């Protein structure tokens, strides 16, 4: 998606903050200087700053100017913040937090999905699984179908708050899938684990579904640890996912 001037300005400033070019507690340059540096109007800078305040990266106030907030204040459910972090470098702490979050949210959601999923929900999850299988066997965008699979499970729990959270979780989940998919035979080895989750949901077995998703999450954690240990370059989320080859 091509961003407009406002979006590009938000990206530029957001990336600079997340990358540490503006330290926590420091003031960013005043509007005229930023506008000159970026080649945009003061109005564009002002609106970009408002967007970054909403994302928790900046705070503004009389006499103190516009200051950078510590990362604890950032909205880590905002896809832009996750993408900026991926550009700056995915840290071990960030990935640990992501895996912890998955372990808290997904097992509970899948347990509910096994109790509440409709025929349409199951059809959507099955379709996503078939897309994953096809990508492994014939080549294609495995990550997109993997994301669709997990989003389908979260929607199938029919809890409005978790469903709303699933939208925000998408960028976070893609981070995990991109890394685990980059491991040799990672997607092929994960297919039976995904199948076990679907089968338990279809069979209306909540406890079995919960155990199955935990196996899948823990396997992803092992993949991520292996990739980190290998010091291979981690994927960046502002580019399309790597396609699998047949």
């Amino acid at each position: 998606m091509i961003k407009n001037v406002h979006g590009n300005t938000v990206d530029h400033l957001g990336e600079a903050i997340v990358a540490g070019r503006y330290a926590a507690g420091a003031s960013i340059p005043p509007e005229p200087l930023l506008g000159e540096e970026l080649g945009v109007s003061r109005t564009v800078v002002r609106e970009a700053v408002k967007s970054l305040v909403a994302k928790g990266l900046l705070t503004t106030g009389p006499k103190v100017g516009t200051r950078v907030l510590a990362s604890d204040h950032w909205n880590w459910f905002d896809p832009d913040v996750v993408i900026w972090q991926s550009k700056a470098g995915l840290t071990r702490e960030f990935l640990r937090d992501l895996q912890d979050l998955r372990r808290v949210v997904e097992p509970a959601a899948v347990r509910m999905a096994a109790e509440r999923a409709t025929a349409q929900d199951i059809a959507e999850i099955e379709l996503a699984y078939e897309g994953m299988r096809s990508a492994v066997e014939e080549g294609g965008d495995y990550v997109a179908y993997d994301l669709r699979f997990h989003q389908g499970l979260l929607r199938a729990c029919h809890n409005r708050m978790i469903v709303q959270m699933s939208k925000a979780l998408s960028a976070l989940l893609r981070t995990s899938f991109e890394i685990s998919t980059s491991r040799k035979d990672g997607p092929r080895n994960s297919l039976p684990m995904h199948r076990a989750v679907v089968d338990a949901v279809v069979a209306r077995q909540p406890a079995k579904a919960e155990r199955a998703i935990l196996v899948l999450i823990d396997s992803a954690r092992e993949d991520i640890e292996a990739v980190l240990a290998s010091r291979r370059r981690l994927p960046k989320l502002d580019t399309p996912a790597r396609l699998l080859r047949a």
Side-chain angles (χ1 to χ4, degrees), residues 75-79 101 105 109 112 150-173:
N75 180 5
W76 288 107
F77 287 108
D78 188 301
L101 180 67
V105 175
M112 285 186 276
H150 288 267
Q151 287 172 328
L153 286 170
L154 290 171
R155 283 194 299 271
C157 78
H158 291 279
N159 177 294
R160 284 176 294 184
M161 294 179 185
I162 292 176
V163 171
Q164 189 67 35
M165 184 182 282
S166 75
K167 299 174 184 176
L169 277 173
S170 293
L172 292 166
L173 288 172

Side-chain angles (χ1 to χ4, degrees), residues 42-60:
R42 292 178 64 174
T43 301
V44 169
V45 172
R46 193 174 302 123
E47 291 303 312
V49 167
K50 286 181 183 177
S51 293
L52 293 171
V53 168
K55 295 174 188 291
L57 273 69
L58 294 174
T59 183
T60 60

Side-chain angles (χ1 to χ4, degrees), residues 128-141:
Y129 174 81
E130 283 304 310
M132 294 165 65
R133 187 187 58 76
S134 176
V136 167
E137 296 179 359
E138 303 169 23
D141 193 344

Side-chain angles (χ1 to χ4, degrees), residues 8-233:
N8 287 331
T9 305
V10 172
D11 275 346
H12 180 91
L13 292 174
E15 286 172 25
I17 292 168
V18 174
R21 291 198 288 276
Y22 300 119
S27 296
I28 64 170
E31 288 175 8
L33 284 180
L34 277 177
E36 187 176 339
E37 177 189 338
L38 302 177
V40 298
S41 68
R42 292 178 64 174
T43 301
V44 169
V45 172
R46 193 174 302 123
E47 291 303 312
V49 167
K50 286 181 183 177
S51 293
L52 293 171
V53 168
K55 295 174 188 291
L57 273 69
L58 294 174
T59 183
T60 60
K63 298 183 181 178
V64 298
T66 303
R67 294 186 178 274
V68 176
L69 289 172
S71 60
D72 289 349
H73 295 276
W74 301 351
N75 180 5
W76 288 107
F77 287 108
D78 188 301
D80 285 338
V81 177
V82 177
I83 288 171
W84 297 333
Q85 181 64 67
S86 84
K87 284 186 174 183
L90 294 170
T91 65
R92 187 178 295 273
E93 292 73 25
F94 175 84
L95 294 170
R96 181 205 62 205
D97 289 348
L98 166 59
Q99 291 302 106
D100 287 347
L101 180 67
R102 287 191 68 189
R103 241 183 169 277
V104 169
V105 175
E106 285 195 88
V110 169
R111 190 180 184 96
M112 285 186 276
E115 298 168 339
R116 304 175 183 175
T118 65
Q120 184 177 347
D121 292 329
I122 290 170
E124 178 62 30
I125 295 164
E126 290 276 16
L127 198 61
Y129 174 81
E130 283 304 310
M132 294 165 65
R133 187 187 58 76
S134 176
V136 167
E137 296 179 359
E138 303 169 23
D141 193 344
Y142 180 90
V143 171
Y145 285 108
D146 199 356
L147 188 57
R148 187 171 167 183
F149 178 92
H150 288 267
Q151 287 172 328
L153 286 170
L154 290 171
R155 283 194 299 271
C157 78
H158 291 279
N159 177 294
R160 284 176 294 184
M161 294 179 185
I162 292 176
V163 171
Q164 189 67 35
M165 184 182 282
S166 75
K167 299 174 184 176
L169 277 173
S170 293
L172 292 166
L173 288 172
R174 184 186 160 191
T175 304
S176 175
F177 301 156
E178 284 265 21
I179 295 171
S180 55
T181 301
S182 70
R183 200 174 181 198
K184 181 174 172 58
D185 291 329
R188 184 175 297 278
N189 292 338
S190 78
L191 275 179
M193 289 180 271
H194 283 84
R195 187 68 248 174
V197 176
V198 182
D199 289 345
V201 170
V202 171
R204 304 292 182 189
Q205 295 179 311
K208 191 173 182 179
E210 183 178 22
R211 288 195 298 272
I213 196 70
L214 280 169
V215 169
L216 187 55
I217 292 169
D218 289 342
S219 174
R221 183 194 295 271
E222 290 172 11
D223 286 343
I224 288 172
E225 289 297 329
V227 171
L228 286 173
S230 72
R231 299 189 179 279
R232 285 162 52 189
R233 181 177 294 179

